[in-house]
């Protein structure tokens, strides 16, 4: 219990207890799923600026027009303090989107902040008068204004990432379709007798497969984007045999690269073989794409108790720290310039997202570690027995 005082205006309390309020804010944010692995600085990001701007806005004069503007989510329109609150709130919304918070988690932060400030203040200031009622009204107006600005910046960033995602998709579909169209026109003009006809047929086949992969990834993305787990058809799978097959395919496709395979232990599990092949193929492709051309790519399998552990390691430049927490989220990742710079034409960037969804559907986990000294390693852990009650079907 805080020591009580006979009179303390709410704005003065906020300015005098910023650290106490921020501590409760940080504790609540850490309890949300994305906040569990975030640093103290990242959890608090623009919270202090919002708190101070809120208090200063409450202490400033306010006309009826300004009050009406705030009630409609348009901010204070003129006040310097109100503009400062809008600026900090916009930054907060963008930062939370980039850290993987969903919109309901952002809203819940504000709900918790509102409750925390009022509770701490009333513990210290138990006797109310008419000024206190006005303070509470002004505080709620400022919090609502901040929430509106944060939600607005969050949704604008989501819309931006979606537009970028669709632009990438349109670009990557257009190229193989153009190749298919030109090859088909050549065959139709020559009735299949031209010397170039076999080559044209090969172009059609290769690019049709490219489009098929893109569409398959999009269907997988759409099927899991509504909160549903990826559907699986499970049977007993020997992961060692499956991984060796994928490994040998990559050895043939990339003869210039050093690829290594190691396996040990009991490597059978109850799973969907086709989906697990996607996991291995996507992780190997990612390692070859982003790893050093001179360095090896290692595919390793081992067992830990009743868990199969699969890891893919490559050397080279590490994953930027700001991308590590969002690397499995395509919409968030597409807002970062590093992702756009590293993207490979013909891939819409869903490979790691699909890896995560398949692994989670199997009741497993996937994580990544990446440093300049140790390289990059993706580690998948799969239970050998499928979880009871999972949304899977036996073949």
């Amino acid at each position: 219990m805080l020591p009580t005082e006979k009179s303390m205006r709410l704005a003065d309390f906020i300015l005098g207890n910023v650290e106490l309020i921020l501590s409760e804010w940080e504790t609540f944010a850490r309890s949300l799923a994305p906040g569990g692995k975030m640093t103290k600085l990242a959890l608090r990001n623009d919270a202090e600026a919002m708190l101070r701007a809120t208090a200063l806005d409450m202490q400033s004069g306010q006309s009826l027009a300004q009050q009406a503007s705030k009630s409609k989510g348009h901010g204070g329109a003129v006040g310097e303090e109100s503009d400062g609150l809008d600026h900090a709130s916009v930054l907060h919304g963008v930062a939370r989107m980039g850290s993987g918070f969903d919109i309901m988690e952002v809203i819940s932060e504000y709900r918790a902040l509102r409750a925390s400030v009022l509770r701490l203040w009333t513990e210290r200031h138990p006797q109310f008068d008419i000024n206190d009622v006005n303070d509470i009204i002004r505080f709620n107006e400022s919090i609502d204004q901040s929430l509106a600005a944060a939600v607005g910046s969050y949704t604008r960033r989501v819309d931006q990432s979606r537009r970028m995602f669709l632009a990438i998709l349109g670009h990557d579909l257009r190229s193989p379709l153009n190749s298919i169209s030109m090859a088909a026109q050549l065959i139709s003009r020559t009735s299949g007798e031209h010397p170039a006809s076999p080559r044209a047929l090969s172009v059609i086949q290769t690019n049709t497969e490219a489009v098929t992969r893109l569409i398959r990834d999009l269907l997988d993305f759409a099927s899991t984007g509504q909160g549903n787990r990826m559907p699986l058809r499970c049977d007993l799978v020997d992961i060692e045999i499956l991984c060796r097959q994928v490994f040998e395919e990559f050895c043939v496709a990339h003869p210039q690269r050093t690829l290594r395979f190691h396996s040990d232990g009991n490597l059978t599990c109850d799973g969907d073989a086709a989906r697990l092949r996607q996991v291995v193929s996507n992780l190997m492709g990612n390692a070859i794409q982003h790893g050093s051309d001179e360095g090896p790519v290692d595919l390793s399998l081992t067992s830990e108790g009743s868990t199969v552990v699969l890891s893919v390691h490559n050397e080279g430049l590490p994953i930027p720290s700001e991308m590590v927490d969002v690397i499995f989220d395509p919409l968030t990742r597409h807002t970062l310039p590093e992702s756009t710079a590293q993207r490979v034409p013909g891939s819409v960037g869903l490979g790691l997202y699909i890896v995560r969804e398949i692994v989670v559907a199997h009741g497993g986990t996937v994580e990544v570690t990446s440093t300049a000294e140790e390289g990059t390693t993706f580690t998948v852990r799969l239970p050998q027995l499928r979880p009871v009650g999972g949304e899977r079907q036996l073949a």
Side-chain angles (χ1 to χ4, degrees), residues 336-357:
L336 301 175
E338 293 84 355
S339 175
T340 302
Q342 295 178 7
R343 195 183 68 82
V344 172
S347 169
V348 77
L350 291 174
L352 293 178
Y353 170 83
I354 291 170
V355 164
R356 182 187 66 183
E357 292 301 308

Side-chain angles (χ1 to χ4, degrees), residues 89 112 243 292:
S89 305
C243 286
S292 166

Side-chain angles (χ1 to χ4, degrees), residues 85-132:
L85 177 58
D86 284 338
H87 177 69
S89 305
V90 165
L91 294 178
H92 178 69
V94 171
R96 283 304 194 242
M97 190 271 178
S99 296
F101 284 65
D102 65 35
I103 191 65
M104 294 308 297
E105 288 169 332
V106 173
I107 293 172
S108 71
E109 280 193 297
Y110 277 91
R111 186 173 62 246
L113 175 63
R114 191 194 309 264
S116 177
V117 169
L118 293 176
R119 175 180 54 78
L120 292 171
W121 180 51
T122 54
E123 286 178 359
R124 192 165 180 174
H125 180 66
Q127 297 180 350
F128 281 69
D129 58 31
I130 189 64
N131 289 325
D132 296 327

